[in-house]
Amino acid sequence: MDTIAPRRPTPADRVTLFRAALTACCAVPAVASLFTGGHPGPVLVLLGALAFLLDAVDGAVARRTGTASEAGARFDAATDAALVLVLSVATVTVVGPWTLAIGALYYVVAAAAIARPHLRRPLPPSITRKLIGALQPVALLVALLPGLPAAAAAAAPAVALPLLVFSFGRDVVALERLNRTAAGADRRGSSFSTRTFVVAPSISGSPANSRVRNEYARRPPETDHDGGT
């Protein structure tokens, strides 16, 4: 029976794991603020900012050590999404429940990919996508700064959310177009194969082949040297 060897964590994975631990620490005051109705506090802002800044470290470590991998990239993306979700929960009592959309959008698209697996296909790198993705935690952290007026706190997420919707929407449209193009190519290939198999019997049943078979039928059977057929 074949076994799958466990994947050893790389130095970059350890940085990402530390970021995930910081995100979990942020989740405690974020969830507590939903029950108290108060501000999550400056500690959450400091921990969230540290988790965000370390996002630039794990990728650099992976490239420097030559340990970049698809699994590491997925781990990093999942940690980024979790941090944004926690920060969006923390801003509910400061800005309003609509900020939850910023944290939930990643998971909405991930859930849609269960029914439409082509949404998991990789896309070409995009600077715009990276900038919009980096803007989300920054906007939420700005909104959580203590002493900021309510209008100023809501301004940054109000700009970040439409940009995030645009980024995800553009990627979804691009993946849907790629899927339709691939499906059309498959249908054309299937149609060509069907026509090939349909034409083949018509060739074997052509008048020329009938004449060949008739000529062969009129020929006397060849005999062996001993006279047997």
Side-chain angles (χ1 to χ4, degrees):
M1 180 178 179
D2 295 336
T3 58
I4 300 176
R7 179 177 176 272
R8 296 178 62 86
T10 65
D13 291 338
R14 295 187 180 94
V15 176
T16 306
L17 184 60
F18 181 60
R19 291 180 56 232
L22 290 174
T23 301
C25 292
C26 291
V28 176
V31 174
S33 68
L34 296 178
F35 295 94
T36 63
H39 193 283
V43 174
L44 182 146
V45 178
L46 292 175
L47 294 177
L50 180 58
F52 168 70
L53 293 175
L54 286 175
D55 188 25
V57 176
D58 51 9
V61 171
R63 290 188 294 271
R64 183 177 294 274
T65 58
T67 55
S69 65
E70 184 179 350
R74 288 197 300 267
F75 184 24
D76 181 61
T79 304
D80 292 342
L83 176 61
V84 173
L85 178 61
V86 169
L87 294 178
S88 68
V89 170
T91 55
V92 167
T93 57
V94 178
V95 178
W98 60 268
T99 57
L100 289 173
I102 296 177
L105 197 53
Y106 171 88
Y107 298 97
V108 169
V109 175
I114 298 175
R116 303 188 68 79
H118 57 271
L119 294 179
R120 299 193 189 100
R121 292 177 182 173
L123 285 165
S126 169
I127 295 179
T128 302
R129 186 188 305 117
K130 289 182 178 180
L131 291 176
I132 292 176
L135 176 63
Q136 307 308 311
V138 171
L140 294 170
L141 287 169
V142 168
L144 289 169
L145 290 175
L148 201 64
V159 172
L161 178 57
L163 291 175
L164 186 64
V165 172
F166 162 77
S167 180
F168 271 114
R170 184 186 62 172
D171 290 346
V172 168
V173 169
L175 290 170
E176 290 290 347
R177 286 177 177 172
L178 288 174
N179 183 60
R180 285 197 297 268
T181 301
D186 291 341
R187 284 194 297 269
R188 287 193 296 270
S190 176
S191 176
F192 177 78
S193 300
T194 303
R195 287 196 300 270
T196 302
F197 284 110
V198 168
V199 169
S202 67
I203 294 175
S204 63
S206 64
N209 283 344
S210 298
R211 288 195 298 270
V212 171
R213 288 196 299 271
N214 291 336
E215 290 294 332
Y216 181 79
R218 285 195 293 269
R219 290 176 55 189
E222 295 182 4
T223 59
D224 294 332
H225 291 292
D226 61 359
T229 57

